[in-house]
Amino acid sequence: TAQNLTKWLQRRETKKTQSWEDRQNVSYRIFNMLIQRFAKLFFGCLAAVTSGMMYAVYLSTYHERKFWFSSRQELEREITFQGDSAIYYSFYKELLKAPSFERGVYELTHNNKTISLKTINAVQQMTLYPELIASVLYQASGSEEVIEPVYFYIGIVFGLQGIYVTALFVTSWVMSGTWLAGMLTVAWFIINRTDTTRIDYSIPSRENWALPYFACQVAALTGYLKKSLNCSAEKFCYLLVSASTYTFMMMWEYSHYLLFVQAVSLFLLDSFALAQTEKVYEVYKIYLFSLFLGYLLQFENSALLVSPLLSLVAALMLSKCLQMNMKKGTFMSRLLKIMHIYLVLTITVTLNFLLKMFVPHKENEHLLKFIEVKLGLNTTKNFTMNWLLCQESLQAPSQDFFLRLTQSSLLPFYILVLIICLFSVTQVIFRRICGEPLKETVKLEDGRIGERPEIVYHVIHTILLGCLAMCLEGMKYLWTPYVCMLAAFGVCSPELWMTLFKWLRLKAVHPILLALILSMAVPTIIGFSLWKEFFPRIMTELSELQEFYDPDTVELMTWIKRQAPVAAVFAGSPQLMGVIKLCTGWMVSSLPLYNDDDLIKRNENIYSKRSAEDIYKILTSYKASFLVIEDSICNEVGPVRGCRVKDLLDIANGHVVCEEGDSYAYSKYGRFCHEIKMNYSPYVNYFTRVYWNRSYFVYRINTVISFQS
């Protein structure tokens, strides 16, 4: 008995020792796993932030090389802002000159010093919230003695572009699980910069301020839709989605249309039961909150009330209530489930129609008219509408666009990733129709990438944006960045390769091992090929000193500041008027605001075939005192006949005659911009030339008319 007791005690001690060693091993494994996760997270975040900072520095360096910004005088710097960009920056300058921020905001909301005979709420009409934020930051940070206002302004925009790239990096990283995908996303984004951003052409444009916030929202939404997400991470993603959605809506007047496309993507995702319904409807609530708050803070912006986003979200909420009130399993509930999409679409269209009937709105009428004419549902002789239709950004994309994406290898890999994901999603939808439930956790060996809701959302989202980009080339700036992100995710994702190998039924090589190898090898090969081909081009681009100098415009602005009376009002093309307002501060009769027909119509006829008396009456009705004729518009030789300014004006004024299939411009008067240069009666009776150079002719509009020949 004593011997048995001894053996039992020895076995017990052995078990204790083994148990202690097992606990030690488990603790060691957990510690190693935490260290690996922390290292992966740390280096990934470091790579994401570094990528964003390097891109911002790259943009700043390129801008300096292109415009020689640091060696220019203030006037020459301001001339680099063209068209609507000049107007945005001019209001930023006015805010800084105001005695206080409150006074500056008041003067902008009751502005009567910019456009003659017109008081406008510039903050509402031009969405000047970025300028308000920039001016507050400039003054609150005490930067007046450290940095010039123009450098601070463009620095914020370049910094936001860095955040844009970082958000795309994080999105691709979250989807693929490796920050190698983020690096490839950034590489493709920079290489295809011509097609991913308009920062080169218009720094202060609203989309350059807004799209970085939308990218942050998409990154947060990607994390929020993931299945395996802990509670704290889910709350963080939810808060980030809320904050970025509202900020995006405040920065861009067309933001609700892009959010509408996103809402349609989520609606389709939920309709196919591929995501948690509760999460999707939480995002809908964020839309409603952002619309409501935006309506209040944007001076009761009626465009938000009649937006398709509000109608769609309201329809979705209403259809959910109808389904919840029906008992599950009844015939009516099944019928509603089948007709869910039709029901939502019907309610959306009806609600939007009713809102437009009862809510007065004018802000986006020009956009709806443009869509009607673009789709061939209507015709128009309106000059502004036809001018917009002639713009390259509103045409179908050219072959060069697809060629550039193919040369950088982006388009082929995007199509490959999209096809694999689409087939996988189709399989999942078919299984759902057959009654098979979704797996709680999708493992690598399952090869079911189409069951991940965040992947399905991005597939639907890029397809919808791609359809828009195929219609309007300007939409490529919304689509191409997410093409970079989705393609990079796909080639770096073992799950995508595993999904492909499941279909091919590989037996010679272990599919999981091959998927892991390809997810590392393919992006590495792509990265080296891109580095070898495009890195020298980027470095050459940064090393070349480009020349941008417009002496004629500098001379014109200098003359206005020195010779024109303080109370003078200038008339001319809307794009030039924006530059005059920025560089001189003088009042103008029009601005490049295409949502205000009155402003556009004011000066459009100076390049038409109208009499001197007609033009004089039009200009004096707006109290204009000087007229600026641009030789480049008057003698324009456009590549497409019928899209020149003078051709469009002839159409608008009914001066086009068609004979034997050819169209001719005919009027009993010559073209005003040509005739006024001849200095003969009756033109000299109404207008007196006071300044001219190679590009511009300035005429004083006579207050006392002399009819001596």
Side-chain angles (χ1 to χ4, degrees):
T1 306
Q3 189 176 4
N4 291 337
L5 180 61
T6 304
K7 290 181 179 179
W8 179 79
L9 289 172
Q10 288 176 348
R11 283 198 300 269
R12 186 178 177 184
E13 287 296 325
T14 304
K15 286 181 180 179
K16 283 184 179 181
T17 305
Q18 289 176 348
S19 177
W20 183 81
E21 289 177 354
D22 290 342
R23 286 198 298 269
Q24 282 268 353
N25 290 333
V26 170
S27 301
Y28 182 73
R29 290 195 202 99
I30 292 173
F31 179 75
N32 279 344
M33 185 177 65
L34 290 175
I35 290 294
Q36 289 175 3
R37 286 185 178 181
F38 175 78
K40 182 180 178 182
L41 182 63
F42 174 77
F43 286 109
C45 291
L46 183 64
V49 173
T50 303
S51 298
M53 292 176 63
M54 293 296 291
Y55 180 62
V57 171
Y58 164 73
L59 288 177
S60 179
T61 306
Y62 177 76
H63 183 263
E64 173 64 28
R65 293 287 182 174
K66 182 177 181 180
F67 295 110
W68 293 21
F69 220 62
S70 59
S71 60
R72 300 289 189 190
Q73 299 296 322
E74 183 180 5
L75 178 61
E76 295 171 343
R77 292 175 184 171
E78 291 176 347
I79 287 174
T80 62
F81 296 101
Q82 298 290 320
D84 57 350
S85 298
I87 297 302
Y88 295 132
Y89 185 71
S90 71
F91 286 126
Y92 168 72
K93 279 180 60 180
E94 289 184 16
L95 277 167
L96 295 181
K97 290 178 181 178
S100 66
F101 177 73
E102 294 78 8
R103 182 63 188 175
V105 173
Y106 178 82
E107 289 178 355
L108 288 186
T109 54
H110 302 79
N111 188 285
N112 58 2
K113 297 179 181 179
T114 299
I115 306 169
S116 60
L117 300 182
K118 198 175 182 71
T119 300
I120 62 171
N121 184 342
V123 177
Q124 179 188 19
Q125 193 162 351
M126 300 195 65
T127 318
L128 295 180
Y129 298 98
E131 282 65 35
L132 296 180
I133 295 171
S135 64
V136 168
L137 291 176
Y138 184 72
Q139 293 172 335
S141 61
S143 303
E144 294 93 334
E145 299 178 359
V146 179
I147 187 172
E148 296 179 53
V150 65
Y151 280 110
F152 188 83
Y153 185 83
I154 64 176
I156 291 178
V157 180
F158 291 155
L160 284 173
Q161 298 308 301
I163 294 174
Y164 191 2
V165 164
T166 301
L168 292 173
F169 183 110
V170 172
T171 306
S172 187
W173 178 18
V174 169
M175 292 169 64
S176 64
T178 171
W179 48 268
L180 186 62
M183 299 293 288
L184 187 57
T185 300
V186 174
W188 266 328
F189 183 92
I190 295 175
I191 289 168
N192 295 281
R193 195 182 76 254
T194 307
D195 303 306
T196 55
T197 176
R198 285 206 312 145
I199 193 71
D200 289 353
Y201 316 112
S202 179
I203 291 176
S205 68
R206 301 300 84 178
E207 63 196 66
N208 289 334
W209 285 89
L211 290 180
Y213 295 102
F214 182 68
C216 291
Q217 189 252 28
V218 170
L221 182 62
T222 303
Y224 184 66
L225 291 174
K226 287 176 71 72
K227 291 180 180 178
S228 55
L229 197 67
N230 59 57
C231 185
S232 57
E234 186 175 310
K235 287 181 180 178
F236 173 76
C237 290
Y238 178 81
L239 291 175
L240 186 55
V241 170
S242 304
S244 53
T245 300
Y246 171 69
T247 309
F248 174 59
M249 193 171 290
M250 294 295 291
M251 292 290 171
W252 194 20
E253 64 268 31
Y254 300 123
S255 58
H256 54 90
Y257 291 109
L258 187 52
L259 290 175
F260 170 72
V261 175
Q262 187 184 69
V264 171
S265 304
L266 292 173
F267 164 58
L268 294 175
L269 182 68
D270 182 49
S271 297
F272 295 128
L274 299 176
Q276 296 179 29
T277 302
E278 295 77 13
K279 286 187 175 182
V280 174
Y281 276 86
E282 285 298 321
V283 178
Y284 294 156
K285 291 175 184 177
I286 292 174
Y287 292 151
L288 286 178
F289 175 76
S290 299
L291 285 168
F292 175 72
L293 200 58
Y295 171 75
L296 294 179
L297 296 182
Q298 291 182 13
F299 305 93
E300 298 182 357
N301 186 3
S302 58
L304 296 180
L305 294 182
V306 297
S307 68
L309 176 63
L310 179 61
S311 301
L312 176 62
V313 174
L316 288 165
M317 293 293 186
L318 182 59
S319 64
K320 184 183 179 183
C321 291
L322 290 174
Q323 287 183 333
M324 287 177 63
N325 290 332
M326 293 292 172
K327 292 182 179 180
K328 292 184 178 181
T330 62
F331 173 77
M332 188 58 69
S333 66
R334 292 174 181 173
L335 186 63
L336 279 176
K337 189 68 177 177
I338 295 171
M339 299 181 64
H340 178 63
I341 296 177
Y342 175 77
L343 179 67
V344 170
L345 292 177
T346 303
I347 297 175
T348 301
V349 174
T350 305
L351 186 58
N352 193 253
F353 177 76
L354 293 174
L355 285 171
K356 287 180 178 178
M357 281 183 61
F358 294 105
V359 177
H361 65 286
K362 293 183 180 179
E363 286 80 356
N364 294 326
E365 280 187 359
H366 68 291
L367 184 62
L368 298 176
K369 290 178 182 177
F370 168 79
I371 294 173
E372 287 181 3
V373 177
K374 183 70 178 178
L375 295 177
L377 303 176
N378 199 355
T379 57
T380 182
K381 290 185 176 181
N382 182 273
F383 166 76
T384 306
M385 197 61 59
N386 287 325
W387 183 82
L388 289 173
L389 287 167
C390 285
Q391 298 305 297
E392 184 180 350
S393 61
L394 299 177
Q395 305 294 321
S398 62
Q399 291 183 354
D400 292 339
F401 167 60
F402 299 104
L403 182 62
R404 288 192 297 270
L405 297 188
T406 303
Q407 287 175 340
S408 65
S409 72
L410 173 59
L411 191 61
F413 282 107
Y414 168 72
I415 293 174
L416 173 66
V417 172
L418 187 65
I419 289 173
I420 294 174
C421 290
L422 271 177
F423 273 112
S424 182
V425 171
T426 305
Q427 282 184 333
V428 174
I429 293 173
F430 181 75
R431 293 193 195 104
R432 295 292 290 153
I433 293 173
C434 294
E436 183 180 332
L438 293 175
K439 286 190 174 183
E440 286 295 325
T441 55
V442 180
K443 297 180 181 179
L444 176 60
E445 57 268 20
D446 294 332
R448 293 187 178 185
I449 199 167
E451 287 194 11
R452 291 175 56 187
E454 70 274 18
I455 306 300
V456 182
Y457 157 72
H458 279 288
V459 168
I460 299 172
H461 196 198
T462 54
I463 290 174
L464 294 178
L465 290 177
C467 292
L468 294 175
M470 295 306 104
C471 299
L472 304 172
E473 186 167 1
M475 297 298 293
K476 70 182 180 181
Y477 300 112
L478 302 177
W479 178 58
T480 315
Y482 295 98
V483 170
C484 298
M485 182 271 299
L486 193 68
F489 140 75
V491 297
C492 297
S493 173
E495 288 182 69
L496 183 125
W497 295 110
M498 190 63 199
T499 303
L500 178 62
F501 297 152
K502 273 283 186 179
W503 296 337
L504 298 177
R505 297 181 180 178
L506 289 180
K507 294 181 179 179
V509 184
H510 198 287
I512 295 179
L513 178 62
L514 185 59
L516 291 171
I517 293 173
L518 286 180
S519 65
M520 294 293 291
V522 173
T524 303
I525 294 170
I526 295 172
F528 275 118
S529 64
L530 293 178
W531 177 277
K532 182 179 179 180
E533 183 175 356
F534 293 98
F535 183 73
R537 298 185 191 179
I538 293 174
M539 297 309 295
T540 303
E541 189 180 63
L542 291 178
S543 61
E544 287 181 348
L545 288 174
Q546 303 182 39
E547 179 67 30
F548 178 86
Y549 188 56
D550 190 354
D552 293 340
T553 305
V554 172
E555 291 173 7
L556 173 64
M557 300 305 157
T558 304
W559 180 87
I560 292 173
K561 293 173 77 173
R562 291 177 179 175
Q563 302 294 329
V566 176
V569 177
F570 283 83
S573 69
Q575 289 74 21
L576 180 61
M577 292 302 99
V579 180
I580 289 177
K581 174 60 184 173
L582 167 61
C583 297
T584 68
W586 263 247
M587 192 176 289
V588 295
S589 60
S590 69
L591 288 176
L593 297 177
Y594 304 110
N595 58 357
D596 192 325
D597 287 338
D598 175 59
L599 290 182
I600 297 298
K601 289 178 180 177
R602 285 188 170 193
N603 298 336
E604 64 182 30
N605 281 301
I606 62 177
Y607 297 101
S608 65
K609 293 188 172 184
R610 300 281 292 268
S611 68
E613 184 180 2
D614 287 348
I615 301 297
Y616 179 82
K617 288 180 178 178
I618 292 171
L619 295 177
T620 53
S621 67
Y622 300 119
K623 301 298 181 182
S625 49
F626 288 90
L627 171 64
V628 184
I629 300 291
E630 294 174 70
D631 209 42
S632 59
I633 299 178
C634 192
N635 298 320
E636 182 181 5
V637 182
V640 181
R641 187 180 178 184
C643 275
R644 299 175 299 180
V645 169
K646 50 190 178 183
D647 297 335
L648 298 174
L649 287 171
D650 292 339
I651 294 172
N653 292 319
H655 295 157
V656 176
V657 178
C658 296
E659 292 182 2
E660 298 179 358
D662 294 327
S663 58
Y664 304 92
Y666 172 78
S667 174
K668 64 179 180 179
Y669 302 107
R671 195 166 300 282
F672 175 79
C673 64
H674 287 151
E675 300 297 322
I676 195 175
K677 297 176 185 176
M678 303 299 180
N679 288 329
Y680 61 79
S681 184
Y683 294 91
V684 294
N685 302 329
Y686 296 103
F687 307 95
T688 302
R689 189 167 66 185
V690 293
Y691 173 81
W692 71 94
N693 59 29
R694 292 175 301 176
S695 302
Y696 303 101
F697 294 80
V698 182
Y699 296 86
R700 184 179 65 246
I701 302 171
N702 298 331
T703 53
V704 179
I705 304 173
S706 171
F707 287 97
Q708 296 178 359
S709 58

